């Protein structure tokens, strides 16, 4: 049984094709793992009855020789994706009990390719947070060791998605990334997290946080697995006006291409104050690995990097303040009864939204309000252009950019939650890619002195995910990262 | 930028979020700190820079004018906290 | 076009601007595939997008873009090849997204103008500030329950064009002429059905008063007026209210007002005490709306003739009076009917018969032109009989009534009833001789200088012919006989 957990998605897929294992066996192993790791609080809803049916169907498909590329592979879904007739809450009290009558485009694609749905995964409320602590269900816990007896944060917002893959309670999972919500938890938990190019994956049916920044992406144990599932997630969707009209690409090929001669940029501005020495050491290692793999390292500048975070913390809350106006207690979700319509709105939203979500709605409302629009929102949009232009210019010279994913390893739960700005600083290396719409991937590449996983981030020009996979694969090969969290369901490697 | 309690009152009203007197105090300092931190953007010279609201480079695609949706009253109403017949129901609004 | 109103303390000038919301003629909604048709059961023409379910996204309906551009062309306006959809944020029970998708900084259509004609025949131009596309909201019903309002989202997301005039109207009459003309243009173009009762066309009216030559006064906005009469009443009431208020030492407050159709008065709108702060920003779910010159040119090529052009043709080529031309072009159906009826025959006579007899009969019967029992070709047939002298005008009226009742052709009726006009010269002379012989005393009086008796002889001859004698010939022949 535990051998099943050791398989990567690609390995499991090959074994399923060869009929060495069955989808039902694989599902049973993961069901067992889910039970064992319950304390990590990764799943907010499990869908094992549906999973069983899907696994049976997958086995039939393998028997008939028409199995999709994800057939039988157990997958968890961030609770931000609307799933038909399965409670979808965005981990917020305001959406408790909401049963969508529709399925998001990305999850539809996954199920159509035979993926087996394990359940809905914990995340920060409306994906607003970097530690999964804003979830109404309590935080998803990092499966790596505790520090001073305190549980570590899985990162956020897609904490449950990262933690479940790291703990072996999901073979792969789906998350979303608005400012680093896939890459930061991936780094904290020691798994591969991909944020695709803006417009690559449909946003239709995903609870919106900040529409111009949100992108869905996968968590996997290897780069190869990432390419496997991403090939299914990506694609044009006429229901999303911001979805790019590009045809199907099989990204698995790209993983294997060498990186000889590729030019990799190292941005000077990512050497920020307060970055842990172990992080900068890892960054240097990454640089050396890529050089050994035949890439050319180029020092570059991204002058406006410093302003990406404050820029993001205007744009994302501004869009969120509008996106979250629909949670008004009328058509779905929670309602606190009151005498007047306005009193009902105010009570419902005060009660239904958590502290951080309210804070961001208020900041966003402020930034868009009369008299402040130009100074905040417009200014942030201008800075956003400068940040994007920094990248445009850099990519004239280099093929990809290498940075750390986070300035620190995972921190104990409760350590940062009281100070919003400290929490926001977690996203300092990840936010620029969202503002510029670029694809980014975090690859587990080493450990902190305390034995916590650390990630390296790669960025590429728009729609060059294939190139990201090639370079990420080179890092993965040389890093020889050992995924062995103390609280995993079993041996994973 | 300091955010006084009147501003908190105004924006929480615009956002339809009830803020109690004691929370208002805390929020005004929280929001003030965040906005102060954000104000480092003022250092950036943005003269003549065109604002960027999205990164898409393709053109907006248009739909055909055909009826392809709707007539799903049950689905539309099924999650409503209060309904009467085929209507959503809210506290009475006086115009 | 300054018109002054006198108050207790002197003259006042009225300034009026109008924002008209016109529902775009389309099958489906602006950003969703549900039906835009009026009158479904509650919440039936509603998709998950219209109900603002989490994760739902807007996709624009190309037909609505075409309709907006076509309307812009009809208003002689600047078409913007680049425009942007913004979110207008506010909370209301029938606004499910918590924002309305509209266009704020970059509308699809820019400045244009409309020509209006007043009852004194004077022609004025009213500037158009802009036209933009936006979503309609749903409907709140307040009279179904003592303490609840009911929400129906069927209208939610239906495409509207908001057409904003410049503040260039100065009387209720001008405002009425403006909305009528705008409605007429929209209906000619087929971009809005103009049905004000159903709310397809409704106006928000901005009114202010000032001393002649002063800067603009503070304006009020009276919302959602859905008839020309209400627009005029609301303006007249607001003008009086504002003048009295200022003359009594008060001040006009900039506010939104509601019009009470039962009293003809406006009142402050309750429940909107908050200062509006709509926090417009570009909708990140959409991209800028763009198209090229070829797109505009194609629409231009397919544009129907508009009332102003048709009217000019009627006056300059057909020789109609400006008044008749106005009546015949107000509605597209009327103009089309007239063109068909008058084609190849006397345009003026046809115009006259249409605007007097046909409209009179339709009015009396309470039916629309489209349901007229007399079809265009049939009216033309009647005019032909008048023109070639087959029947007199008087007989023609009789024939027309019968046509209206039976739907038969004029010719058939004339033949059936033997109403054909007598144009046989010898027959008329015979009747004249009889009349003159019977009235020898009057003949003498006439010849003695009492010329007004001529009419008497004409009447007698017509009577003798049972109205069928050709009146022109009667006149001419009588003269010959009497003036020997």
């Amino acid at each position: 049984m535990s051998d099943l957990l050791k398989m990567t998605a690609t390995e499991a897929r090959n074994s399923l094709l060869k009929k060495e294992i069955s989808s039902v066996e694989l599902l049973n192993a993961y069901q067992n793992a889910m039970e064992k790791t319950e304390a990590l609080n990764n799943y907010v809803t499990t869908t094992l009855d549906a999973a069983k049916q899907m696994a049976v169907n997958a086995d039939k498909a393998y028997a008939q020789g028409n199995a999709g590329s994800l057939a039988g592979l157990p997958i968890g879904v961030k609770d931000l994706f609307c799933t038909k007739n399965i409670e979808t809450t965005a981990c917020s009290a305001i959406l408790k009990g909401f049963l969508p009558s529709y399925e998001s485009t990305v999850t539809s694609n996954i199920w159509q390719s035979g993926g087996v749905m394990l359940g809905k995964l914990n995340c920060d409320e409306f994906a607003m947070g970097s530690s999964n602590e804003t979830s109404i269900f309590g935080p998803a816990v990092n499966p790596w060791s505790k520090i001073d007896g305190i549980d570590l944060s899985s990162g956020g917002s897609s904490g449950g998605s990262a933690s479940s893959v790291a703990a072996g309670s999901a073979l792969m999972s789906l998350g979303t990334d608005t400012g680093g919500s896939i890459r930061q938890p991936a780094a904290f938990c020691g798994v591969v997290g991909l944020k695709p190019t803006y417009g690559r994956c449909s946003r239709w049916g995903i609870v919106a946080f900040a529409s111009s920044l949100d992108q869905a992406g996968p968590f996997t144990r290897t780069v190869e697995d990432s390419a496997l599932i991403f090939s299914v997630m990506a694609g044009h969707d006429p229901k999303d006006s911001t979805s790019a009209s590009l045809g199907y690409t099989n990204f698995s090929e790209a993983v294997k291409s060498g990186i000889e001669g590729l030019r990799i940029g190292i941005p000077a501005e990512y050497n920020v104050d307060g970055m842990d020495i172990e992080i900068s050491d890892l960054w240097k290692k990454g640089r050396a690995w890529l050089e050994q793999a035949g890439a050319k390292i180029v020092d570059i500048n991204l002058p406006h990097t410093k302003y990406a975070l404050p820029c993001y913390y205007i744009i994302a809350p501004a869009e969120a303040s509008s996106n979250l106006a629909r949670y008004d207690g009328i058509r779905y979700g929670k309602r606190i009864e009151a005498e007047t319509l306005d009193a009902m709105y105010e009570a419902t939203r005060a009660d239904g939204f958590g502290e951080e979500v309210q804070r961001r709605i208020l900041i966003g409302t402020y930034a868009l309000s009369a008299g402040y629009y130009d100074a905040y929102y417009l200014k942030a949009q201008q800075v956003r252009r400068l940040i994007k232009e920094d990248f445009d210019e850099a990519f004239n010279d280099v093929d990809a950019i290498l940075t750390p994913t986070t300035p620190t390893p995972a921190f104990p739960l409760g350590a940062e939650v009281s100070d919003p700005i400290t929490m926001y600083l977690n996203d300092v290396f990840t936010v620029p890619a969202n503002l510029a719409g670029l694809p980014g991937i975090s690859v587990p590449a080493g450990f902190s002195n305390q034995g916590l996983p650390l990630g390296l981030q790669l960025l590429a020009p728009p729609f060059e995910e294939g190139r990201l996979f090639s370079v990420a694969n080179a890092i993965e090969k040389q890093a020889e990262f050992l995924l062995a969290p103390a609280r995993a369901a079993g041996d994973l490697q | 930028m300091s955010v006084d309690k009147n501003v908190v009152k105004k924006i929480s009203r615009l956002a339809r979020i009830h803020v109690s007197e004691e929370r208002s105090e805390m929020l005004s300092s929280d929001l003030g700190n965040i906005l102060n931190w954000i104000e480092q953007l003022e250092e950036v010279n943005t003269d003549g820079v065109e604002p960027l609201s999205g990164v898409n480079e393709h053109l907006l695609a248009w739909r055909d004018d055909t009826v392809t949706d709707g007539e799903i009253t049950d689905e539309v109403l099924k999650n409503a906290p209060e309904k009467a017949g085929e209507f959503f129901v809210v506290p009475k609004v006086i115009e | 076009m300054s018109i002054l109103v006198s108050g207790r303390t002197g003259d006042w000038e009225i300034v009026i601007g109008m924002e008209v919301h016109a529902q775009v003629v389309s099958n489906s909604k602006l950003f969703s595939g549900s039906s835009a048709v009026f009158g479904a059961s509650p919440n039936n023409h509603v998709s998950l997008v219209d109900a603002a379910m989490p994760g739902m996204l807007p996709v624009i309906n190309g037909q609505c873009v075409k309709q907006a551009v076509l309307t812009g062309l009809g208003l002689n306006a600047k078409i913007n090849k680049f425009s942007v959809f913004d979110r207008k944020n506010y909370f209301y029970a029938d606004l499910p997204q918590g924002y309305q998708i509209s266009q704020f900084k970059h509308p699809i259509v820019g400045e244009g103008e409309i020509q209006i004609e007043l009852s004194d025949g004077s022609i004025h131009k009213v500037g158009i500030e802009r036209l933009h596309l936006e979503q309609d909201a749903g409907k709140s019903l307040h009279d179904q329950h003592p303490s609840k309002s009911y929400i129906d989202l069927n209208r939610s997301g239906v495409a509207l064009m908001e057409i904003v005039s410049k503040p260039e109207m100065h009387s209720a009459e001008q405002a009425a002429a403006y909305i009528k003309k705008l409605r007429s243009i929209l209906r000619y173009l087929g971009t809005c059905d103009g049905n004000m009762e159903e709310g397809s066309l409704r106006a928000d009216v901005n009114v202010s008063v000032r001393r002649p030559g002063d800067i603009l006064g503070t304006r009020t906005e009276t919302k959602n007026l859905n008839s020309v009469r209400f627009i005029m009443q609301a303006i007249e009431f607001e003008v009086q209210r504002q003048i009295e208020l200022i003359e009594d030492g008060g001040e006009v407050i900039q506010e939104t007002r509601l019009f009470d159709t039962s009293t003809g008065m406006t009142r402050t709108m309750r429940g909107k005490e908050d200062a509006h702060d709509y926090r417009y920003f570009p909708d990140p779910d959409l991209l800028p709306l763009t198209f090229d010159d070829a797109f505009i040119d194609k629409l231009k090529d397919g544009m129907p003739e508009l009332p102003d052009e048709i009217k000019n043709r009627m006056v300059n080529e057909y020789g109609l009076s400006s008044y008749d031309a106005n009546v015949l072009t107000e509605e597209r159906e009327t103009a089309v009917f007239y063109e068909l009826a008058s084609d190849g025959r006397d345009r003026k006579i046809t115009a006259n018969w249409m605007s007097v007899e046909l409209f009179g009969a339709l009015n009396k019967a309470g039916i629309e032109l489209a349901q007229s029992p007399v079809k265009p070709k049939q009216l033309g047939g009647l005019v032909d009989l008048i023109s070639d002298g087959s029947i007199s005008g008087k007989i023609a009226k009789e024939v027309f009534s019968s046509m209206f009742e039976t739907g038969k052709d004029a010719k058939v009726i004339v033949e059936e009833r033997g109403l054909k006009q007598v144009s046989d010269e010898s027959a008329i002379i015979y009747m004249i001789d009889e009349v003159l012989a019977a009235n020898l005393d009057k003949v003498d009086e006439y010849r003695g200088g009492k010329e007004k008796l001529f009419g008497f002889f004409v009447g007698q001859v017509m009577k003798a012919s049972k109205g069928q004698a050709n009146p022109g010939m009667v006149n001419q022949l009588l003269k010959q006989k009497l003036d020997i």
Side-chain angles (χ1 to χ4, degrees), chain A residues 330-349:
Chain A
I330 298 178
R331 294 165 315 286
Y332 41 78
K334 184 172 208 160
R335 171 191 289 194
I336 304 289
E337 296 295 344
E339 285 292 300
T340 68
L341 179 65
D342 277 337
M344 187 277 277
Y345 284 146
E346 293 188 349
T348 298
R349 291 165 60 82

PDB file of all heavy atoms in Angstrom, chain A residues 330-349:
ATOM      1  N   ILE A 330     -28.378  37.687  -0.390  1.00  0.00           N
ATOM      2  CA  ILE A 330     -29.650  37.643  -1.115  1.00  0.00           C
ATOM      3  C   ILE A 330     -29.834  36.358  -1.928  1.00  0.00           C
ATOM      4  O   ILE A 330     -30.856  35.705  -1.832  1.00  0.00           O
ATOM      5  CB  ILE A 330     -29.806  38.876  -2.039  1.00  0.00           C
ATOM      6  CG1 ILE A 330     -29.821  40.152  -1.194  1.00  0.00           C
ATOM      7  CG2 ILE A 330     -31.096  38.759  -2.866  1.00  0.00           C
ATOM      8  CD1 ILE A 330     -29.929  41.434  -1.982  1.00  0.00           C
ATOM      9  N   ARG A 331     -28.820  36.002  -2.710  1.00  0.00           N
ATOM     10  CA  ARG A 331     -29.015  34.886  -3.634  1.00  0.00           C
ATOM     11  C   ARG A 331     -28.389  33.571  -3.165  1.00  0.00           C
ATOM     12  O   ARG A 331     -28.748  32.500  -3.649  1.00  0.00           O
ATOM     13  CB  ARG A 331     -28.486  35.260  -5.026  1.00  0.00           C
ATOM     14  CG  ARG A 331     -29.277  36.377  -5.670  1.00  0.00           C
ATOM     15  CD  ARG A 331     -28.557  36.983  -6.839  1.00  0.00           C
ATOM     16  NE  ARG A 331     -27.154  37.227  -6.546  1.00  0.00           N
ATOM     17  CZ  ARG A 331     -26.705  38.207  -5.774  1.00  0.00           C
ATOM     18  NH1 ARG A 331     -27.537  39.076  -5.225  1.00  0.00           N
ATOM     19  NH2 ARG A 331     -25.419  38.332  -5.529  1.00  0.00           N
ATOM     20  N   TYR A 332     -27.412  33.676  -2.270  1.00  0.00           N
ATOM     21  CA  TYR A 332     -26.766  32.461  -1.756  1.00  0.00           C
ATOM     22  C   TYR A 332     -25.977  32.845  -0.514  1.00  0.00           C
ATOM     23  O   TYR A 332     -25.750  34.024  -0.247  1.00  0.00           O
ATOM     24  CB  TYR A 332     -25.817  31.847  -2.807  1.00  0.00           C
ATOM     25  CG  TYR A 332     -25.002  32.860  -3.575  1.00  0.00           C
ATOM     26  CD1 TYR A 332     -23.874  33.463  -3.008  1.00  0.00           C
ATOM     27  CD2 TYR A 332     -25.369  33.249  -4.866  1.00  0.00           C
ATOM     28  CE1 TYR A 332     -23.133  34.402  -3.707  1.00  0.00           C
ATOM     29  CE2 TYR A 332     -24.630  34.190  -5.571  1.00  0.00           C
ATOM     30  CZ  TYR A 332     -23.522  34.757  -4.992  1.00  0.00           C
ATOM     31  OH  TYR A 332     -22.790  35.693  -5.679  1.00  0.00           O
ATOM     32  N   GLY A 333     -25.554  31.830   0.200  1.00  0.00           N
ATOM     33  CA  GLY A 333     -24.688  32.059   1.352  1.00  0.00           C
ATOM     34  C   GLY A 333     -25.443  32.578   2.551  1.00  0.00           C
ATOM     35  O   GLY A 333     -26.664  32.503   2.661  1.00  0.00           O
ATOM     36  N   LYS A 334     -24.630  33.111   3.461  1.00  0.00           N
ATOM     37  CA  LYS A 334     -25.136  33.515   4.760  1.00  0.00           C
ATOM     38  C   LYS A 334     -25.965  34.799   4.691  1.00  0.00           C
ATOM     39  O   LYS A 334     -25.701  35.667   3.868  1.00  0.00           O
ATOM     40  CB  LYS A 334     -23.921  33.769   5.653  1.00  0.00           C
ATOM     41  CG  LYS A 334     -24.245  34.115   7.072  1.00  0.00           C
ATOM     42  CD  LYS A 334     -22.958  34.142   7.880  1.00  0.00           C
ATOM     43  CE  LYS A 334     -23.258  33.792   9.315  1.00  0.00           C
ATOM     44  NZ  LYS A 334     -22.066  33.344  10.014  1.00  0.00           N
ATOM     45  N   ARG A 335     -26.978  34.886   5.539  1.00  0.00           N
ATOM     46  CA  ARG A 335     -27.681  36.157   5.721  1.00  0.00           C
ATOM     47  C   ARG A 335     -27.936  36.348   7.216  1.00  0.00           C
ATOM     48  O   ARG A 335     -28.369  35.432   7.896  1.00  0.00           O
ATOM     49  CB  ARG A 335     -29.016  36.159   4.989  1.00  0.00           C
ATOM     50  CG  ARG A 335     -29.861  37.391   5.343  1.00  0.00           C
ATOM     51  CD  ARG A 335     -31.294  37.323   4.871  1.00  0.00           C
ATOM     52  NE  ARG A 335     -31.385  37.444   3.425  1.00  0.00           N
ATOM     53  CZ  ARG A 335     -32.524  37.680   2.783  1.00  0.00           C
ATOM     54  NH1 ARG A 335     -33.653  37.838   3.447  1.00  0.00           N
ATOM     55  NH2 ARG A 335     -32.551  37.756   1.473  1.00  0.00           N
ATOM     56  N   ILE A 336     -27.636  37.553   7.704  1.00  0.00           N
ATOM     57  CA  ILE A 336     -28.060  37.923   9.055  1.00  0.00           C
ATOM     58  C   ILE A 336     -29.281  38.806   8.873  1.00  0.00           C
ATOM     59  O   ILE A 336     -29.197  39.867   8.240  1.00  0.00           O
ATOM     60  CB  ILE A 336     -26.943  38.691   9.808  1.00  0.00           C
ATOM     61  CG1 ILE A 336     -25.639  37.872   9.856  1.00  0.00           C
ATOM     62  CG2 ILE A 336     -27.418  39.088  11.209  1.00  0.00           C
ATOM     63  CD1 ILE A 336     -25.675  36.664  10.758  1.00  0.00           C
ATOM     64  N   GLU A 337     -30.402  38.368   9.410  1.00  0.00           N
ATOM     65  CA  GLU A 337     -31.642  39.113   9.201  1.00  0.00           C
ATOM     66  C   GLU A 337     -31.587  40.476   9.887  1.00  0.00           C
ATOM     67  O   GLU A 337     -30.963  40.636  10.941  1.00  0.00           O
ATOM     68  CB  GLU A 337     -32.838  38.320   9.757  1.00  0.00           C
ATOM     69  CG  GLU A 337     -33.090  36.989   9.049  1.00  0.00           C
ATOM     70  CD  GLU A 337     -33.489  37.144   7.579  1.00  0.00           C
ATOM     71  OE1 GLU A 337     -33.868  38.264   7.162  1.00  0.00           O
ATOM     72  OE2 GLU A 337     -33.415  36.139   6.841  1.00  0.00           O
ATOM     73  N   ALA A 338     -32.230  41.441   9.259  1.00  0.00           N
ATOM     74  CA  ALA A 338     -32.321  42.776   9.851  1.00  0.00           C
ATOM     75  C   ALA A 338     -33.548  43.471   9.283  1.00  0.00           C
ATOM     76  O   ALA A 338     -34.158  42.992   8.330  1.00  0.00           O
ATOM     77  CB  ALA A 338     -31.060  43.573   9.553  1.00  0.00           C
ATOM     78  N   GLU A 339     -33.870  44.599   9.887  1.00  0.00           N
ATOM     79  CA  GLU A 339     -35.090  45.326   9.522  1.00  0.00           C
ATOM     80  C   GLU A 339     -35.035  45.909   8.119  1.00  0.00           C
ATOM     81  O   GLU A 339     -36.000  45.874   7.382  1.00  0.00           O
ATOM     82  CB  GLU A 339     -35.321  46.481  10.511  1.00  0.00           C
ATOM     83  CG  GLU A 339     -35.829  46.037  11.854  1.00  0.00           C
ATOM     84  CD  GLU A 339     -37.245  45.493  11.776  1.00  0.00           C
ATOM     85  OE1 GLU A 339     -38.140  46.256  11.364  1.00  0.00           O
ATOM     86  OE2 GLU A 339     -37.448  44.307  12.101  1.00  0.00           O
ATOM     87  N   THR A 340     -33.883  46.488   7.788  1.00  0.00           N
ATOM     88  CA  THR A 340     -33.780  47.144   6.489  1.00  0.00           C
ATOM     89  C   THR A 340     -32.764  46.415   5.627  1.00  0.00           C
ATOM     90  O   THR A 340     -31.943  45.643   6.129  1.00  0.00           O
ATOM     91  CB  THR A 340     -33.320  48.609   6.626  1.00  0.00           C
ATOM     92  OG1 THR A 340     -31.967  48.596   7.092  1.00  0.00           O
ATOM     93  CG2 THR A 340     -34.193  49.387   7.595  1.00  0.00           C
ATOM     94  N   LEU A 341     -32.837  46.702   4.337  1.00  0.00           N
ATOM     95  CA  LEU A 341     -31.911  46.076   3.400  1.00  0.00           C
ATOM     96  C   LEU A 341     -30.469  46.417   3.765  1.00  0.00           C
ATOM     97  O   LEU A 341     -29.601  45.542   3.842  1.00  0.00           O
ATOM     98  CB  LEU A 341     -32.232  46.543   1.979  1.00  0.00           C
ATOM     99  CG  LEU A 341     -31.333  45.994   0.878  1.00  0.00           C
ATOM    100  CD1 LEU A 341     -31.490  44.493   0.724  1.00  0.00           C
ATOM    101  CD2 LEU A 341     -31.631  46.693  -0.457  1.00  0.00           C
ATOM    102  N   ASP A 342     -30.198  47.692   4.017  1.00  0.00           N
ATOM    103  CA  ASP A 342     -28.828  48.101   4.321  1.00  0.00           C
ATOM    104  C   ASP A 342     -28.329  47.469   5.617  1.00  0.00           C
ATOM    105  O   ASP A 342     -27.173  47.047   5.703  1.00  0.00           O
ATOM    106  CB  ASP A 342     -28.721  49.627   4.389  1.00  0.00           C
ATOM    107  CG  ASP A 342     -28.564  50.231   2.996  1.00  0.00           C
ATOM    108  OD1 ASP A 342     -28.113  49.501   2.092  1.00  0.00           O
ATOM    109  OD2 ASP A 342     -28.895  51.415   2.809  1.00  0.00           O
ATOM    110  N   ALA A 343     -29.199  47.407   6.614  1.00  0.00           N
ATOM    111  CA  ALA A 343     -28.794  46.787   7.877  1.00  0.00           C
ATOM    112  C   ALA A 343     -28.508  45.300   7.655  1.00  0.00           C
ATOM    113  O   ALA A 343     -27.573  44.741   8.240  1.00  0.00           O
ATOM    114  CB  ALA A 343     -29.882  46.974   8.925  1.00  0.00           C
ATOM    115  N   MET A 344     -29.277  44.672   6.775  1.00  0.00           N
ATOM    116  CA  MET A 344     -29.048  43.260   6.459  1.00  0.00           C
ATOM    117  C   MET A 344     -27.684  43.092   5.777  1.00  0.00           C
ATOM    118  O   MET A 344     -26.893  42.229   6.147  1.00  0.00           O
ATOM    119  CB  MET A 344     -30.179  42.753   5.556  1.00  0.00           C
ATOM    120  CG  MET A 344     -30.165  41.255   5.276  1.00  0.00           C
ATOM    121  SD  MET A 344     -29.050  40.800   3.936  1.00  0.00           S
ATOM    122  CE  MET A 344     -30.085  41.121   2.504  1.00  0.00           C
ATOM    123  N   TYR A 345     -27.405  43.950   4.786  1.00  0.00           N
ATOM    124  CA  TYR A 345     -26.091  43.912   4.127  1.00  0.00           C
ATOM    125  C   TYR A 345     -24.961  44.040   5.146  1.00  0.00           C
ATOM    126  O   TYR A 345     -24.016  43.269   5.155  1.00  0.00           O
ATOM    127  CB  TYR A 345     -25.929  45.105   3.183  1.00  0.00           C
ATOM    128  CG  TYR A 345     -26.654  45.066   1.861  1.00  0.00           C
ATOM    129  CD1 TYR A 345     -27.140  46.254   1.300  1.00  0.00           C
ATOM    130  CD2 TYR A 345     -26.812  43.896   1.137  1.00  0.00           C
ATOM    131  CE1 TYR A 345     -27.768  46.281   0.063  1.00  0.00           C
ATOM    132  CE2 TYR A 345     -27.440  43.910  -0.108  1.00  0.00           C
ATOM    133  CZ  TYR A 345     -27.918  45.097  -0.634  1.00  0.00           C
ATOM    134  OH  TYR A 345     -28.526  45.121  -1.855  1.00  0.00           O
ATOM    135  N   GLU A 346     -25.073  45.067   5.952  1.00  0.00           N
ATOM    136  CA  GLU A 346     -23.959  45.406   6.851  1.00  0.00           C
ATOM    137  C   GLU A 346     -23.723  44.317   7.893  1.00  0.00           C
ATOM    138  O   GLU A 346     -22.577  43.996   8.207  1.00  0.00           O
ATOM    139  CB  GLU A 346     -24.211  46.763   7.511  1.00  0.00           C
ATOM    140  CG  GLU A 346     -24.165  47.897   6.495  1.00  0.00           C
ATOM    141  CD  GLU A 346     -24.229  49.280   7.120  1.00  0.00           C
ATOM    142  OE1 GLU A 346     -24.524  49.369   8.327  1.00  0.00           O
ATOM    143  OE2 GLU A 346     -23.962  50.250   6.387  1.00  0.00           O
ATOM    144  N   ALA A 347     -24.825  43.751   8.397  1.00  0.00           N
ATOM    145  CA  ALA A 347     -24.673  42.697   9.398  1.00  0.00           C
ATOM    146  C   ALA A 347     -24.147  41.413   8.757  1.00  0.00           C
ATOM    147  O   ALA A 347     -23.251  40.759   9.287  1.00  0.00           O
ATOM    148  CB  ALA A 347     -26.024  42.444  10.071  1.00  0.00           C
ATOM    149  N   THR A 348     -24.689  41.088   7.601  1.00  0.00           N
ATOM    150  CA  THR A 348     -24.287  39.863   6.911  1.00  0.00           C
ATOM    151  C   THR A 348     -22.805  39.899   6.562  1.00  0.00           C
ATOM    152  O   THR A 348     -22.065  38.943   6.808  1.00  0.00           O
ATOM    153  CB  THR A 348     -25.115  39.690   5.617  1.00  0.00           C
ATOM    154  OG1 THR A 348     -26.491  39.563   5.973  1.00  0.00           O
ATOM    155  CG2 THR A 348     -24.666  38.470   4.830  1.00  0.00           C
ATOM    156  N   ARG A 349     -22.365  41.001   6.023  1.00  0.00           N
ATOM    157  CA  ARG A 349     -20.980  41.089   5.550  1.00  0.00           C
ATOM    158  C   ARG A 349     -20.000  41.247   6.716  1.00  0.00           C
ATOM    159  O   ARG A 349     -18.859  40.766   6.634  1.00  0.00           O
ATOM    160  CB  ARG A 349     -20.860  42.225   4.517  1.00  0.00           C
ATOM    161  CG  ARG A 349     -21.605  41.852   3.218  1.00  0.00           C
ATOM    162  CD  ARG A 349     -21.848  43.035   2.292  1.00  0.00           C
ATOM    163  NE  ARG A 349     -20.629  43.693   1.847  1.00  0.00           N
ATOM    164  CZ  ARG A 349     -19.853  43.278   0.838  1.00  0.00           C
ATOM    165  NH1 ARG A 349     -20.160  42.185   0.190  1.00  0.00           N
ATOM    166  NH2 ARG A 349     -18.769  43.945   0.500  1.00  0.00           N
TER     167      ARG A 349
END
